[in-house]
Structures are given as C-alpha cells and as structure tokens.
Amino acid sequence: MRTQAELIGDGELAYLRSRTAFVAGAGMTLDDGYRLAHLPLIDPHHPKAIARKDGTHYENGRHPPIYSLVVPTLGLQEAPAYRELEQALRDAPFASTIAWDLVARRQAKLHATVCGSLSVGTPPAIDPAARDALSRLGPVEMELRGLFSGNVNRGRLYLRLYPERRDGQNALHLMQRALGRATSDLYVVGIWNLNDDLDVAEAAALAALIDRWWDRPILRFTADRLWLMGANDDLVLDSEIVETISLK
C-alpha cells in the first residue's frame, strides 16, 4: 500500500496570520474589497454593494477575462466531512446570510488558485518547458481542511488547501516556479458567500465554528491535472476552462 505523502503544515503557510480577527462583543462587517468584487454579484441592489471604484476594472462585480492556473477540487460535495460542515453552516445563527443559491451554481468550478492573473483579455501561452516540468512533477497529494475566513474579502468563507511536501519543498511552489511565478503560501477554495454583515451573536457563532473545524480534514485527494481557467468575475460565475493540463 502506498504511504501517504507528508503535507506542508500551518507553520509554513499563511493561514494563521491571514485569518479574520474576530473581536469579542463586535459583529463582522463586509470589507470594501468584498463589497466591490463579490456583493454586486450576489445582490446588485444591496445598499453596501460598490458598483465601481476609480482605479479598478470592476463594473458591478465583472471585469475583463482574467486567466489563471488552478487546482480543481471535484467530488468535494460527496465527502462526508464536507456534508457535515455544510449542515453545521445551515444550522448556524447566520445561515440566512449565506447565499446558498450561489453555492449550487459554483459547484462544478470549485478550485484553489496556483498561479493567478497569468494574462488578461486572452489566454496565456504556456511555455513547452513549463508544461514538461509540470508533467515530470506528476500527481500531487493534497488535503482540504476548514473552515476559514480571511482578512481580505471578508464575507467569503473557504476551505484551506494543504499541498504535499515533494523532495523537501512545497509542491505548489514547484508548480509556480515552473511557470516562472513568485511563490505564495495561501491556497483557498472559496465556497460560501455572505449577503450581509454579521451581528455580534452571528460573528461569535462563525468564530466558534472556524475554531471547531480548523484542524478537521475535509477531503484528501491526488491532483492529477490543473485547469487553465478564464473568468469575467471573481466568483467564476461567467468562466470557462480553456485547457486541462495533465500532471502525468
């Protein structure tokens, strides 16, 4: 039987320092980035939605197509731990603030970004040497854990991705270097979106749920492909999978 690969841990990733800082006795407000990029897609008439902002390319949550290389996380909905977490969210005091219809619409496109914004407008040309390096890397073990709320795009809830340690290195760093990109240390799968601020009780309930689920494995899987994905919005509602790149 094949031994499970060692995974990169929290000590080498950015999740702990990037999580939402909940304050006892205070609610949680949607931040400006979320109100600009996400809220207009959920409820364009919401009084806190920001339709456009000088210096950005957003227009009611949409923008020119941006192409990124991502790890698909298919089959997540069949994982027992995922179903348990979703039920916990449905039972939470803030359940009515979750845009559940959006969760269903995005299921087929769930992913974690490896290399974001490779190009804008037209798909990037991926160098043959980069393709060869990805192929030689081979399939990579990964694990999703949850729940996570960050200090950016506050209002979106995620699962966290933990990649395999390959030859002493973060396997996602190897992919990023193959594309000539800077390495990163935060890989999240955005699934749930809030449609409003949380009051004190709701924010406390979310903070407690995050603590309870922080170390819980949701899904262990082997990634044998990447998607080159283009999207006209940050929730990939208007998106296409331009190409599937094999890791075999």
Side-chain angles (χ1 to χ4, degrees), residues 28 52 81 96 124 136 141 143 181 186 205 209 218 228 243:
M28 188 187 84
R52 61 194 61 83
S96 63
R136 284 187 283 106
E141 282 193 49
E143 185 171 87
R181 305 283 290 188
L186 191 145
L209 202 58
I218 304 297
L228 179 61
E243 183 181 356

Side-chain angles (χ1 to χ4, degrees), residues 87-172:
Q87 189 59 55
L89 287 165
R90 289 186 180 276
D91 293 339
F94 56 86
S96 63
T97 69
I98 296 176
W100 292 106
D101 60 321
L102 203 65
V103 177
R105 289 172 60 192
R106 301 182 62 255
Q107 283 184 357
K109 300 289 181 69
L110 294 181
H111 65 275
T113 300
V114 178
C115 296
S117 301
L118 288 173
S119 66
V120 178
T122 57
I126 298 180
D127 186 89
R131 294 177 182 273
D132 182 60
L134 292 172
S135 177
R136 284 187 283 106
L137 181 63
V140 175
E141 282 193 49
M142 304 189 185
E143 185 171 87
L144 289 169
R145 301 174 194 162
L147 184 66
F148 180 76
S149 172
N151 55 17
V152 175
N153 283 332
R154 194 172 57 246
R156 197 173 196 196
L157 305 178
Y158 307 82
L159 298 180
R160 311 184 315 280
L161 185 69
Y162 290 79
E164 174 184 341
R165 187 184 303 279
R166 179 71 60 86
D167 298 327
Q169 300 183 69
N170 180 331
L172 291 184

Side-chain angles (χ1 to χ4, degrees), residues 8-238:
I8 300 296
D10 274 328
E12 298 173 65
L13 298 173
Y15 300 128
L16 289 170
R17 67 176 181 268
S18 301
R19 62 189 295 182
T20 298
F22 291 93
V23 177
M28 188 187 84
T29 58
L30 308 177
D31 68 13
D32 286 353
Y34 185 88
R35 293 167 56 205
L36 175 69
H38 296 247
L39 193 55
L41 299 169
I42 300 164
D43 182 0
H45 304 296
H46 194 288
K48 286 200 168 186
I50 301 174
R52 61 194 61 83
K53 184 178 179 180
D54 290 345
T56 75
H57 52 200
Y58 290 98
E59 184 72 29
N60 291 314
R62 291 173 172 81
H63 50 66
I66 296 175
Y67 295 86
S68 302
L69 199 64
V70 307
V71 177
T73 56
L74 302 176
L76 179 58
Q77 291 74 24
E78 284 72 51
Y82 175 85
R83 293 198 297 268
E84 183 184 344
L85 174 56
E86 183 172 74
Q87 189 59 55
L89 287 165
R90 289 186 180 276
D91 293 339
F94 56 86
S96 63
T97 69
I98 296 176
W100 292 106
D101 60 321
L102 203 65
V103 177
R105 289 172 60 192
R106 301 182 62 255
Q107 283 184 357
K109 300 289 181 69
L110 294 181
H111 65 275
T113 300
V114 178
C115 296
S117 301
L118 288 173
S119 66
V120 178
T122 57
I126 298 180
D127 186 89
R131 294 177 182 273
D132 182 60
L134 292 172
S135 177
R136 284 187 283 106
L137 181 63
V140 175
E141 282 193 49
M142 304 189 185
E143 185 171 87
L144 289 169
R145 301 174 194 162
L147 184 66
F148 180 76
S149 172
N151 55 17
V152 175
N153 283 332
R154 194 172 57 246
R156 197 173 196 196
L157 305 178
Y158 307 82
L159 298 180
R160 311 184 315 280
L161 185 69
Y162 290 79
E164 174 184 341
R165 187 184 303 279
R166 179 71 60 86
D167 298 327
Q169 300 183 69
N170 180 331
L172 291 184
H173 286 181
L174 298 178
M175 294 183 193
Q176 291 168 335
R177 292 189 185 110
L179 272 292
R181 305 283 290 188
T183 58
S184 62
D185 297 308
L186 191 145
Y187 325 103
V188 288
V189 180
I191 302 179
W192 303 277
N193 283 79
L194 303 183
N195 55 32
D196 213 338
D197 298 336
L198 300 184
D199 64 24
V200 173
E202 291 168 339
L206 175 57
L209 202 58
I210 289 170
D211 286 343
R212 192 179 315 136
W213 280 84
W214 186 267
D215 291 321
R216 286 284 301 275
I218 304 297
L219 178 68
R220 182 105 176 199
F221 67 101
T222 299
D224 62 1
R225 73 199 72 176
L226 302 174
W227 286 340
L228 179 61
M229 176 181 280
N232 289 79
D233 62 83
D234 288 8
L235 296 181
V236 299
L237 298 173
D238 183 6

